[in-house]
Amino acid sequence: MKIFRQTMMTGLARIAGITGIVIAATGNSFAGETLDRIMDKKTLVISTDAEYPPQSSLNADNEFVGFDIDVGRAIAKYLGVEAEFVTPGWDVITAGHWSGRWDMSVGSMTPTKKRAEVLDFPAIYYFTPAALVVHEKNTSILSTKDASGHKVGVGVSTTYESYLKKNLVIDAENVPEFSYIINDADIRTYDTDLLALDDLRLGDGVRLDAAFTALPTVLEAKKKGYPIKIVGPEALFMEPLAIATDKGDAELNAKIKEAVSALREDGTLSRLSEKWYGGDLTQ
């Protein structure tokens, strides 16, 4: 993991010249209620984002593909059930109290102190750097601190929005320290991070001066021809991305932790990360 992170940071510098998984239990549920429902129906209903490549998106055949999608399917297979996908809004997912509308949301979620008030995080399954990007013709934002006071696009209710508001608290062990470099940003929120990148590619300063999201999402957009470039070589923070469950089902949490541990030990998570990111972000 350390070697790959160094490679990613080197890539950031070169390019400058990138769901988690979320699993839901019903609000105020009794222990085991959600897990029992999953096993009875033989179906794991997974919420995800249809516009968040390479974590999750729809292909030309209207099928879900991506790292988070494959991880969700692997967990369903471990449980011996089928996977079914739904697409609620990110702000709805992070609000908790899902009331059984879905069982698991694969969305590359960072565990934060605020989210931990309504969600549990039984397992972290990978890590990713947070990157600031500008239009390729931009000449005024040469370092991350230069984005201070500028229009910066982010997904609503994301860790990127919290970072810009200077109230980001990541509730996980061994998280690298970070500092707030961007001051007084004019924050513009979008339903998904990709929509912010869509506005950024319209032109330098047309709607946004910069956007802030996961490095894999940026690299995927660049592969698709988005006229954007990464600012800095540094990641503004490293995100541990976790499976989350709605409060109230300790048995489900234990099963999720068991599944992720097994997928890490047998190499499944590493293989999926190599497939979608070109390196192992799971260790």
Side-chain angles (χ1 to χ4, degrees):
M1 179 62 199
K2 290 182 179 178
I3 294 175
F4 186 68
R5 284 184 185 171
Q6 291 171 358
T7 302
M8 294 282 276
M9 292 303 100
T10 301
L12 270 171
R14 182 172 60 251
I15 295 168
I18 164 126
T19 41
I21 299 172
V22 184
I23 301 200
T26 55
N28 300 318
S29 63
F30 296 102
E33 179 181 328
T34 304
L35 182 59
D36 287 345
R37 183 178 68 247
I38 293 167
M39 303 312 294
D40 287 345
K41 292 184 177 181
K42 300 297 181 184
T43 301
L44 182 63
V45 182
I46 305 170
S47 70
T48 191
D49 189 336
E51 297 181 0
Y52 193 43
Q55 288 76 231
S56 56
S57 61
L58 289 169
N59 64 15
D61 296 321
N62 209 39
E63 299 169 332
F64 282 103
V65 295
F67 176 70
D68 282 346
I69 299 301
D70 282 354
V71 172
R73 286 179 174 141
I75 291 174
K77 182 178 180 180
Y78 182 87
L79 296 178
V81 299
E82 297 295 321
E84 176 184 329
F85 294 93
V86 295
T87 57
W90 182 248
D91 54 340
V92 177
I93 296 171
T94 55
H97 306 293
W98 299 333
S99 302
R101 289 169 289 176
W102 55 87
D103 306 311
M104 181 169 92
S105 174
V106 183
S108 296
M109 182 181 288
T110 304
T112 66
K113 185 174 182 179
K114 181 177 180 180
R115 290 171 181 169
E117 294 174 0
V118 292
L119 302 171
D120 292 326
F121 299 101
I124 291 170
Y125 66 111
Y126 81 114
F127 305 80
T128 188
L132 183 76
V133 296
V134 295
H135 192 274
E136 63 182 10
K137 293 184 178 180
N138 179 277
T139 58
S140 60
I141 301 177
L142 304 179
S143 67
T144 50
K145 67 179 181 180
D146 291 339
S148 297
H150 286 274
K151 296 176 292 184
V152 182
V154 293
V156 66
S157 300
T158 60
T159 50
Y160 314 111
E161 181 183 8
S162 295
Y163 179 91
L164 294 178
K165 290 180 175 180
K166 297 188 176 183
N167 61 10
L168 175 61
V169 180
I170 300 176
D171 191 20
E173 296 181 355
N174 302 317
V175 176
E177 293 184 3
F178 61 88
S179 58
Y180 295 110
I181 300 173
I182 302 172
N183 298 308
D184 301 317
D186 181 359
I187 304 170
R188 307 295 176 93
T189 58
Y190 296 79
D191 287 342
T192 71
D193 300 32
L194 189 60
L195 293 177
L197 294 178
D198 283 341
D199 266 5
L200 184 61
R201 70 172 174 172
L202 294 177
D204 183 30
V206 174
R207 291 185 180 174
L208 293 174
D209 300 311
F212 189 24
T213 185
L215 177 61
T217 302
V218 173
L219 298 181
E220 183 70 13
K222 285 181 67 65
K223 282 170 56 178
K224 293 182 177 179
Y226 280 52
I228 56 179
K229 60 184 178 181
I230 298 171
V231 177
E234 74 275 15
L236 290 174
F237 60 92
M238 290 295 298
E239 293 185 277
L241 300 169
I243 294 175
T245 61
D246 229 355
K247 294 286 187 181
D249 199 321
E251 291 182 19
L252 177 61
N253 287 344
K255 199 65 178 178
I256 297 302
K257 186 174 182 179
E258 175 187 312
V260 172
S261 178
L263 294 172
R264 177 171 283 111
E265 290 179 5
D266 70 10
T268 297
L269 291 181
S270 293
R271 288 193 297 273
L272 294 177
S273 180
E274 290 281 357
K275 171 185 175 181
W276 290 103
Y277 300 133
D280 189 2
L281 293 175
T282 68
Q283 301 299 321

